Amino acid sequence: RKEVEQDPGPFNVPEGATVAFNCTYSNSASQSFFWYRQDCRKEPKLLMSVYSSGNEDGRFTAQLNRASQYISLLIRDSKLSDSATYLCVVRENTPLVFGKGTRLSVIA
Amino acid sequence: DARVTQTPRHKVTEMGQEVTMRCQPILGHNTVFWYRQTMMQGLELLAYFRNRAPLDDSGMPKDRFSAEMPDATLATLKIQPSEPRDSAVYFCASGQDSYGYTFGSGTRLTVV
Protein backbone atom coordinates (compact mmCIF):
# COMPACT_ATOMS: atom_id res chain seq x y z
CA ARG A 1 0.00 0.00 0.00
CA LYS A 2 1.30 3.41 -0.99
CA GLU A 3 2.10 5.57 2.04
CA VAL A 4 0.40 8.70 0.70
CA GLU A 5 -2.47 8.28 -1.73
CA GLN A 6 -4.08 10.91 -3.90
CA ASP A 7 -6.54 10.89 -6.78
CA PRO A 8 -4.30 11.67 -9.79
CA GLY A 9 -7.06 13.58 -11.60
CA PRO A 10 -7.00 15.52 -13.80
CA PHE A 11 -9.54 17.88 -12.34
CA ASN A 12 -10.74 20.23 -15.07
CA VAL A 13 -12.66 23.15 -13.62
CA PRO A 14 -13.84 26.53 -14.91
CA GLU A 15 -12.43 29.75 -13.56
CA GLY A 16 -14.16 30.78 -10.37
CA ALA A 17 -15.05 27.26 -9.35
CA THR A 18 -14.32 25.72 -5.97
CA VAL A 19 -12.30 22.50 -6.06
CA ALA A 20 -11.26 20.11 -3.31
CA PHE A 21 -8.45 17.57 -3.22
CA ASN A 22 -8.17 14.75 -0.75
CA CYS A 23 -5.30 12.63 0.44
CA THR A 24 -4.91 9.69 2.81
CA TYR A 25 -1.76 8.54 4.58
CA SER A 26 -0.95 5.16 6.08
CA ASN A 27 1.47 5.95 8.91
CA SER A 28 -0.44 7.03 12.00
CA ALA A 29 2.83 8.25 13.56
CA SER A 30 3.28 10.90 10.86
CA GLN A 31 4.18 14.19 12.41
CA SER A 32 3.72 17.03 9.95
CA PHE A 33 1.65 17.60 6.86
CA PHE A 34 1.99 19.88 3.87
CA TRP A 35 0.64 20.69 0.46
CA TYR A 36 3.20 21.39 -2.25
CA ARG A 37 2.50 22.74 -5.71
CA GLN A 38 4.44 21.66 -8.78
CA ASP A 39 4.20 23.40 -12.13
CA CYS A 40 5.02 21.53 -15.33
CA ARG A 41 8.76 20.87 -15.61
CA LYS A 42 9.47 22.79 -12.39
CA GLU A 43 10.41 21.85 -8.86
CA PRO A 44 7.86 21.32 -6.07
CA LYS A 45 7.21 24.41 -3.96
CA LEU A 46 5.66 24.60 -0.53
CA LEU A 47 2.08 25.84 -0.74
CA MET A 48 1.05 25.54 2.88
CA SER A 49 1.39 23.52 6.05
CA VAL A 50 -1.63 21.63 7.37
CA TYR A 51 -2.64 21.84 11.02
CA SER A 52 -5.18 19.85 13.01
CA SER A 53 -7.16 23.00 13.65
CA GLY A 54 -7.34 23.72 9.93
CA ASN A 55 -5.71 26.71 8.32
CA GLU A 56 -6.47 29.17 5.61
CA ASP A 57 -4.28 31.23 3.30
CA GLY A 58 -6.32 33.47 1.05
CA ARG A 59 -8.32 31.26 -1.29
CA PHE A 60 -6.70 28.07 0.03
CA THR A 61 -7.92 26.08 3.03
CA ALA A 62 -6.22 22.97 4.37
CA GLN A 63 -7.68 20.49 6.85
CA LEU A 64 -6.25 17.53 8.70
CA ASN A 65 -8.19 14.67 10.27
CA ARG A 66 -5.72 12.59 12.27
CA ALA A 67 -8.31 10.01 13.32
CA SER A 68 -9.14 9.22 9.70
CA GLN A 69 -5.58 9.91 8.46
CA TYR A 70 -6.99 12.25 5.88
CA ILE A 71 -5.84 15.62 4.54
CA SER A 72 -7.73 18.00 2.29
CA LEU A 73 -7.08 21.14 0.27
CA LEU A 74 -9.87 23.46 -0.84
CA ILE A 75 -9.32 26.12 -3.49
CA ARG A 76 -12.00 28.77 -3.83
CA ASP A 77 -12.51 31.08 -6.80
CA SER A 78 -10.07 29.15 -8.99
CA LYS A 79 -7.72 31.15 -11.21
CA LEU A 80 -6.03 30.08 -14.43
CA SER A 81 -2.74 30.40 -12.55
CA ASP A 82 -3.84 27.68 -10.10
CA SER A 83 -3.32 25.08 -12.86
CA ALA A 84 -0.61 22.77 -11.53
CA THR A 85 -0.08 19.46 -9.78
CA TYR A 86 -0.80 19.49 -6.05
CA LEU A 87 1.28 17.13 -3.94
CA CYS A 88 0.15 15.88 -0.56
CA VAL A 89 3.18 15.52 1.70
CA VAL A 90 3.65 13.80 5.03
CA ARG A 91 6.65 13.88 7.33
CA GLU A 92 7.64 10.64 9.05
CA ASN A 93 10.58 11.62 11.22
CA THR A 94 12.81 13.68 8.94
CA PRO A 95 12.17 12.82 5.28
CA LEU A 96 9.11 14.08 3.46
CA VAL A 97 6.96 11.40 1.83
CA PHE A 98 5.15 12.61 -1.26
CA GLY A 99 1.94 11.51 -2.88
CA LYS A 100 2.03 11.28 -6.66
CA GLY A 101 -0.02 14.43 -6.96
CA THR A 102 -3.38 15.60 -8.26
CA ARG A 103 -3.39 17.51 -11.51
CA LEU A 104 -5.61 20.58 -11.73
CA SER A 105 -6.47 22.43 -14.92
CA VAL A 106 -8.45 25.64 -14.58
CA ILE A 107 -10.17 26.52 -17.83
CA ALA A 108 -11.23 29.97 -19.02
CA ASP B 1 15.44 34.73 -2.02
CA ALA B 2 17.77 31.94 -0.92
CA ARG B 3 17.87 29.10 -3.41
CA VAL B 4 19.07 25.54 -3.74
CA THR B 5 21.30 25.38 -6.81
CA GLN B 6 21.64 22.22 -8.87
CA THR B 7 23.94 21.51 -11.77
CA PRO B 8 23.70 20.52 -14.53
CA ARG B 9 20.10 21.37 -15.42
CA HIS B 10 20.07 18.81 -18.21
CA LYS B 11 22.29 15.83 -18.93
CA VAL B 12 22.15 13.39 -21.81
CA THR B 13 24.58 10.51 -21.60
CA GLU B 14 25.17 7.08 -23.02
CA MET B 15 24.50 3.95 -21.09
CA GLY B 16 27.52 2.91 -19.05
CA GLN B 17 28.86 6.41 -18.55
CA GLU B 18 29.37 8.03 -15.15
CA VAL B 19 27.02 10.86 -14.19
CA THR B 20 27.67 13.33 -11.37
CA MET B 21 25.00 15.73 -10.18
CA ARG B 22 25.78 18.58 -7.81
CA CYS B 23 23.76 20.55 -5.30
CA GLN B 24 24.49 23.67 -3.29
CA PRO B 25 22.04 23.78 -0.38
CA ILE B 26 20.80 26.98 1.21
CA LEU B 27 23.36 28.36 3.64
CA GLY B 28 22.45 27.40 7.18
CA HIS B 29 20.22 24.48 6.27
CA ASN B 30 21.35 21.37 8.12
CA THR B 31 19.48 18.69 6.15
CA VAL B 32 19.94 17.81 2.48
CA PHE B 33 17.87 15.36 0.46
CA TRP B 34 18.13 13.70 -2.94
CA TYR B 35 14.83 12.77 -4.59
CA ARG B 36 14.13 11.20 -7.99
CA GLN B 37 10.92 11.90 -9.90
CA THR B 38 9.43 9.80 -12.66
CA MET B 39 5.93 9.71 -14.12
CA MET B 40 5.36 6.20 -12.84
CA GLN B 41 6.76 6.45 -9.31
CA GLY B 42 6.42 10.13 -8.49
CA LEU B 43 8.96 11.58 -6.03
CA GLU B 44 11.11 8.94 -4.35
CA LEU B 45 13.65 9.60 -1.63
CA LEU B 46 17.10 8.37 -2.56
CA ALA B 47 19.26 9.62 0.33
CA TYR B 48 19.58 12.33 2.92
CA PHE B 49 22.15 13.97 5.15
CA ARG B 50 21.93 15.85 8.40
CA ASN B 51 24.87 18.04 9.36
CA ARG B 52 26.70 16.36 6.45
CA ALA B 53 26.32 12.88 7.95
CA PRO B 54 24.47 10.35 5.77
CA LEU B 55 21.36 9.20 7.62
CA ASP B 56 19.52 7.08 5.11
CA ASP B 57 20.39 5.92 1.63
CA SER B 58 18.10 2.89 1.55
CA GLY B 59 16.25 4.32 -1.46
CA MET B 60 19.33 4.13 -3.68
CA PRO B 61 20.52 1.18 -5.76
CA LYS B 62 23.77 0.70 -3.86
CA ASP B 63 25.66 -0.99 -6.62
CA ARG B 64 25.59 2.02 -8.91
CA PHE B 65 24.52 5.09 -6.93
CA SER B 66 26.50 7.00 -4.34
CA ALA B 67 25.75 10.20 -2.46
CA GLU B 68 28.25 12.32 -0.59
CA MET B 69 28.48 15.66 1.11
CA PRO B 70 32.16 16.67 1.08
CA ASP B 71 31.40 20.01 2.74
CA ALA B 72 28.43 22.05 3.93
CA THR B 73 28.08 23.82 0.58
CA LEU B 74 28.14 20.81 -1.72
CA ALA B 75 26.21 17.56 -2.05
CA THR B 76 26.83 15.13 -4.90
CA LEU B 77 24.93 12.23 -6.40
CA LYS B 78 26.86 9.92 -8.65
CA ILE B 79 25.66 7.12 -10.92
CA GLN B 80 28.24 4.68 -12.28
CA PRO B 81 27.50 3.01 -14.61
CA SER B 82 24.33 4.73 -15.76
CA GLU B 83 21.43 2.79 -17.30
CA PRO B 84 18.41 3.90 -19.35
CA ARG B 85 16.11 3.20 -16.39
CA ASP B 86 17.94 5.93 -14.46
CA SER B 87 16.38 8.53 -16.75
CA ALA B 88 14.42 10.86 -14.48
CA VAL B 89 14.50 14.27 -12.86
CA TYR B 90 16.76 14.34 -9.82
CA PHE B 91 15.94 16.94 -7.19
CA CYS B 92 18.02 18.15 -4.31
CA ALA B 93 16.22 19.78 -1.38
CA SER B 94 17.48 21.39 1.80
CA GLY B 95 15.85 22.37 5.06
CA GLN B 96 16.30 23.26 8.68
CA ASP B 97 14.75 20.94 11.24
CA SER B 98 11.00 20.62 11.20
CA TYR B 99 9.67 22.92 8.52
CA GLY B 100 9.07 22.19 4.84
CA TYR B 101 12.01 21.95 2.51
CA THR B 102 13.18 24.00 -0.46
CA PHE B 103 13.85 22.20 -3.71
CA GLY B 104 16.38 22.99 -6.40
CA SER B 105 15.35 23.20 -10.04
CA GLY B 106 16.42 19.62 -10.67
CA THR B 107 18.70 17.79 -13.07
CA ARG B 108 16.86 16.21 -15.98
CA LEU B 109 18.85 13.07 -16.83
CA THR B 110 18.42 11.09 -20.01
CA VAL B 111 20.43 7.91 -20.47
CA VAL B 112 20.37 6.56 -24.01
Side-chain angles (χ1 to χ4, degrees):
Chain A
R1 182 183 166 188
K2 184 79 172 139
E3 295 177 66
V4 180
E5 296 203 40
Q6 296 182 250
D7 180 343
F11 284 57
N12 299 313
V13 303
E15 272 187 290
T18 295
V19 61
F21 305 138
N22 303 317
C23 162
T24 57
Y25 61 96
S26 60
N27 186 346
S28 58
S30 298
Q31 301 166 342
S32 309
F33 309 89
F34 307 90
W35 283 100
Y36 274 67
R37 170 191 169 130
Q38 186 172 23
D39 293 289
C40 187
R41 301 180 78 83
K42 299 285 190 179
E43 72 274 21
K45 292 184 179 179
L46 178 64
L47 179 65
M48 59 196 302
S49 301
V50 187
Y51 305 116
S52 296
S53 54
N55 49 300
E56 191 172 306
D57 182 1
R59 298 179 294 108
F60 298 82
T61 301
Q63 296 274 358
L64 166 66
N65 184 322
R66 282 189 184 269
S68 302
Q69 295 179 205
Y70 171 97
I71 304 162
S72 65
L73 177 68
L74 183 77
I75 305 176
R76 289 182 299 278
D77 189 23
S78 301
K79 311 291 185 192
L80 295 175
S81 57
D82 294 334
S83 297
T85 297
Y86 291 83
L87 302 166
C88 177
V89 186
V90 169
R91 182 195 306 278
E92 303 171 0
N93 296 314
T94 292
L96 298 179
V97 180
F98 286 79
K100 288 190 179 179
T102 300
R103 194 150 56 91
L104 171 67
S105 290
V106 181
I107 304 160
Chain B
D1 279 347
R3 297 198 300 178
V4 175
T5 303
Q6 286 187 249
T7 57
R9 291 292 303 274
H10 302 273
K11 176 74 176 177
V12 180
T13 191
E14 290 186 347
M15 181 173 63
Q17 297 298 305
E18 178 178 301
V19 175
T20 298
M21 290 168 269
R22 294 177 173 81
C23 168
Q24 181 178 358
I26 291 172
L27 189 65
H29 281 187
N30 66 349
T31 312
V32 176
F33 302 85
W34 284 105
Y35 283 89
R36 174 171 64 184
Q37 187 173 37
T38 60
M39 288 291 290
M40 291 297 295
Q41 300 298 328
L43 274 160
E44 300 174 288
L45 179 69
L46 295 176
Y48 75 100
F49 299 81
R50 172 167 283 162
N51 297 322
R52 294 179 54 205
L55 289 190
D56 185 354
D57 62 1
S58 59
M60 289 198 317
K62 297 288 192 308
D63 56 336
R64 299 185 300 108
F65 284 59
S66 61
E68 295 181 348
M69 200 160 175
D71 63 61
T73 64
L74 177 64
T76 62
L77 180 67
K78 190 174 295 187
I79 308 174
Q80 167 66 340
S82 57
E83 297 180 2
R85 60 183 166 145
D86 301 330
S87 298
V89 181
Y90 291 81
F91 286 106
C92 175
S94 71
Q96 181 68 29
D97 296 326
S98 60
Y99 200 59
Y101 299 128
T102 302
F103 281 75
S105 300
T107 294
R108 187 171 297 273
L109 174 65
T110 303
V111 183
V112 298

